[in-house]
Amino acid sequence: MATDSTNDFSSELEELREDLPAAVDEAAIKRMRVVAHALDEGVRVPGTDFKVGLDPIVGILPGAGDAAAAGVSLYLVAEAARMGVSQSTLLRMLANVGVDAVIGSVPVLGVIFDAFWKANKWNLKLALEDLAEKDGQSDGGPEVVTIE
């Protein structure tokens, strides 16, 4: 059932947020969550528990709709990069956006694909997992320094 998977995903995100280092930009995480939700599951399909977002809706516009959705999806990748997510995770995120854009641009089939391929939710999860793993570790990435 779609509601169960949505609730499971939300609780999974909350658990990941608890594991994040204190230095993580909470406002950025909130913005990323809002964008992912709007693109992937912001609207419930009437009469069902299934949710779709703006991605498949704007994807109805040939070419331009999928390009616009991909552009907004790249915001999540850029925000993740700014917060210091590893290159390998950023590449996985870019691959998710690429698959979404390429297959989503196929007439008719692409709209259906976009309704089920929740690239932005997955990208948010990937970014949070990566940031949670970095708690207490240093990989040479950006460090937050506090000056007193």
Side-chain angles (χ1 to χ4, degrees):
M1 188 170 174
T3 302
D4 291 340
S5 65
T6 299
N7 289 339
D8 291 345
F9 185 78
S10 294
S11 62
E12 206 173 324
L13 286 181
E14 284 306 315
E15 287 176 23
L16 284 171
R17 284 185 71 192
E18 293 171 7
D19 294 338
L20 294 176
V24 168
D25 184 353
E26 283 292 325
I29 298 294
K30 185 174 182 176
R31 288 189 304 267
M32 291 171 70
R33 194 172 189 166
V34 167
V35 169
H37 179 76
L39 286 174
D40 287 346
E41 58 184 19
V43 179
R44 189 176 58 81
V45 175
T48 72
D49 288 332
F50 188 72
K51 294 181 179 182
V52 297
L54 295 174
D55 189 1
I57 294 169
V58 299
I60 292 171
L61 301 170
D66 288 300
V72 176
S73 294
L74 289 174
Y75 164 77
L76 295 173
V77 179
E79 206 53 273
R82 188 186 64 77
M83 289 190 294
V85 168
S86 69
Q87 282 188 335
S88 61
T89 298
L90 291 173
L91 288 173
R92 289 173 63 194
M93 292 172 73
L94 286 170
N96 283 339
V97 173
V99 167
D100 188 27
V102 170
I103 297 178
S105 66
V106 174
V108 182
L109 176 64
V111 174
I112 296 166
F113 176 79
D114 279 341
F116 290 94
W117 181 260
K118 309 291 186 179
N120 300 291
K121 279 179 46 175
W122 294 333
N123 282 347
L124 176 60
K125 182 180 175 191
L126 285 171
L128 292 178
E129 285 174 343
D130 189 90
L131 291 167
E133 287 175 9
K134 288 184 180 209
D135 192 14
Q137 298 177 13
S138 176
D139 67 346
E143 260 182 58
V144 176
V145 178
T146 306
I147 301 174
E148 297 181 40

